[in-house]
Amino acid sequence: MSLLDDLRGAIGAGHVLTGEDCAAWSRDWTGQYSWTPLCVARPADTGEVSAVLRLAHAARCPVVPVSGMTGLTGGASAEGAVMLSLDRMTAIREIRAPARLAVVEAGVVLEQLHAAAAEQGLAFPMTFGAKGSARIGGMLATNAGGSNVLRHGNTRDLVLGVEAVLADGRVVDLMSELHKNNAGYDLRHLLIGSEGTLGVITAAVLKLVPRPRAHATAMVATATLTEALALLNRLQDMTGGAVEAFEYMPGAYMRRYATLHPEVQLPLGQDHAVNLLVELGATAPRDATPDETGAVPIVSYLEEVLADLLEEGAVQDAVVAQTDAQRRAFWALRESAAEVTLSRKPVLLNDVAVPVDRVGAFLERAEAAIRAVDPGAESTAVSHLGDGNIHFGVWPSEAGIARKEALTEAVEDVVSEMRGSFSAEHGIGLSKLGSMARRKDPVALEMMRAVKSALDPRDILNPGKLVP
Amino acid sequence: MSLLDDLRGAIGAGHVLTGEDCAAWSRDWTGQYSWTPLCVARPADTGEVSAVLRLAHAARCPVVPVSGMTGLTGGASAEGAVMLSLDRMTAIREIRAPARLAVVEAGVVLEQLHAAAAEQGLAFPMTFGAKGSARIGGMLATNAGGSNVLRHGNTRDLVLGVEAVLADGRVVDLMSELHKNNAGYDLRHLLIGSEGTLGVITAAVLKLVPRPRAHATAMVATATLTEALALLNRLQDMTGGAVEAFEYMPGAYMRRYATLHPEVQLPLGQDHAVNLLVELGATAPRDATPDETGAVPIVSYLEEVLADLLEEGAVQDAVVAQTDAQRRAFWALRESAAEVTLSRKPVLLNDVAVPVDRVGAFLERAEAAIRAVDPGAESTAVSHLGDGNIHFGVWPSEAGIARKEALTEAVEDVVSEMRGSFSAEHGIGLSKLGSMARRKDPVALEMMRAVKSALDPRDILNPGKLVP
């Protein structure tokens, strides 16, 4: 019998797609990658995932686990492979509000979980642009970042336990609901972020957090990034860590935005070097309940703090949103990053991270480094300043277009110098394999290869990805 | 040449101790374990650690890494082995207050780091009884828990990067200072908590946090643990997560304490079933600066909240500490746990964790389970209720003393039933190897063995520990 027949026998013929039926699974939504899979297998539960892997393992056939397919690095590319789609495993098995946890299957769409948590008055704080189609499995496999990392951490920080199926079909049960557990190696963290190369995550126990009842949002200008970081630390102290966003937009970004949107009145004009979008989240009624004048205490508080800082000279200018419409307008500035970045093409995108106190130095040096390669190059940047993540785009000059590789290398040289990461939140997949080979500590690469061979000796799990 | 001669050549004869000079390194401070090492090697830096491992690896001689030797599970036991002591690597290489991080060597004593962080107005929040002698290396190797986990997490949650030396002497540089870094498997988390079986951690980048300027501390009684958990969640919401301690003492504990300390007036008497020590930490001046009457806002706030809850009936009784002396007296109740537990001997100690909403059910069932084995047995418990960690002591009856193993098994049966952990914060070492073999998911054990063989194929790193 062929592998396809075996798979049909194991999970039902209707759940093993081939030929035309695989169309939706045959390309990347970024348009960068396309492929022809052997088939798409859509198991209904962990037992069926195990059966698929057992069969593929015996046949030595590559398996590419996928869920929402919203990745940016070609990690789902699956030429000739069995695509193992978790999109039928969509049960939210349990939400236990008193314990503030959710038990979910890998196919749950992030937005579904947001809604289910909200029904219980809680939140699952991880969120990002693709939330309407990204699924929990992919989010864990790539340790997704996003907009709320400053307050609640990366995906891995929100995971108490996982269940996974190994290359040969064995199921490992690490579905801990515990906050303290020192019984052996932390295999949970090994699986999270391994991009499907060590095992297929089928379910997880996730932490939930209180839902903010009110937000205070401001646009703030400081003279330098050093002052911006001091402001962040001060706001963190003053609010006991309630800062949910601290986003940096350079002056050049604001000017480009103004050119694209001449109809918009920028809250702080376009002349400040350092523009910050600052947002606090309040869970306490005392901070969130409007007083008799209708003022929300957390908003009044942010106004007072910023007024003091203005007087001290620690801040150059500041506007606190007074209405939800104003808050949305502030966010629209930041959320236009893709539009601003793509307003000139081609653009070379870099998702890098450096220590939080070196963002300014990075931008200065990276700017100089690309100019050294291509004197006509320009850059565009926005940064989650609170976690050191910088989305750094390079617009090469006409002449520089042929030197794309050299420009990327120049940026990565600066990242390496600052002990930063060439992949902050998007992962490696296929598209960053070259950087991984060049930039990762060589002994760390040897360790990764040793672990990969130990857990997947036939190299069938997402082969050729992540590990160069 | 012998291994000893080689080691002397590599790190200096004065730093390779043998015979009598090893006395201080030849036993456990608990008195449970003693051994005769081949020698104690005390390298000065990472290069020397690498040299020691290269030599031991070539000679296929076991190496037991040690730092403060304050472990509770026999993890430092080293019969015939090279003890690799990191106690000379005590540099705090750097504290960068704006980035809120410290770069430290493995031999730094925890209390030293506390002091250095405090000098910069910051805190390293991990703390526990042995802080005056425990060192960073051991703390990371065991993923130490402690008193502040509720607010700031376990040791691993406070680590941005590590440097380690592998079994054969290769040095792996994972000294990231980043909050976002998705470049490959998370080898940092694999090394943390591996109890020296996968590599020797030589340095780390640690997170620092704002130092609390004021505390509000209360003793609170609730009718049930369900109400206690509801109180915790409510206080977390109301304070934006500022609860630093939420410690549970059962009525039986208070009565025993009262017997041992008849001179002490218990703040809530001894008749409540659920006694809680609750502490909030405030970093914001608005919460911490005394008003014109001398009242500290965070304290007044806790008083108001508890008054409301008393009125609602959600809380049975409560006293908020008005002075530092009173705060210390509340803590003295909790810190007498060892005294209370050891006030009757023999006692079987269990350091277990269950989901936070199952602590009450655990105590009930564990009580029944030990009675089924030994009808005369009694138990004593205290719990970090906020993280589900329970220190559960069993006092067997005269007749039950012979049935120690069966009593421990009975407790672990209940832990397993509740999907808890038989080792919450103390780790495995030697003393929990049996539990590990019996209780850990068998596929997880296979994965651990595969990883261990891949990274230490000669099995020289702390052999016979952690992995059964």
Side-chain angles (χ1 to χ4, degrees), chain A residues 96 98 100 143 154 170 179-183 185 197 233 237-238 283-284 357 421 423 425 440 446, chain B residues 96 98 100 143 154 170 173 179-183 185 197 233 237-238 283-284 357 421 423 425 440 446:
Chain A
R96 293 222 309 280
R100 298 204 161 169
N143 183 34
N154 296 284
R170 279 175 297 164
H179 292 269
K180 271 188 182 170
N181 184 11
N182 275 344
Y185 302 156
T197 64
N233 286 332
D237 293 3
M238 285 176 151
T283 56
D357 55 350
S421 173
S423 186
E425 54 182 10
K440 186 81 178 174
E446 289 164 19
Chain B
R96 293 223 308 280
R100 299 204 160 167
N143 183 32
N154 296 284
R170 280 175 297 164
D173 178 358
H179 293 268
K180 271 189 184 170
N181 184 10
N182 274 344
Y185 302 156
T197 64
N233 286 333
D237 293 3
M238 285 177 149
T283 55
D357 54 352
S421 174
S423 186
E425 54 182 10
K440 185 83 178 174
E446 289 165 19

Side-chain angles (χ1 to χ4, degrees), chain B residues 8 59 85 138-139 146 155 158 165 179 198 288 294 311 385 400 410 426:
Chain B
R8 288 181 186 116
S85 172
M139 213 178 78
T155 294
L158 297 168
V165 184
H179 293 268
L198 298 180
E311 199 158 316
L385 190 61
H426 297 165

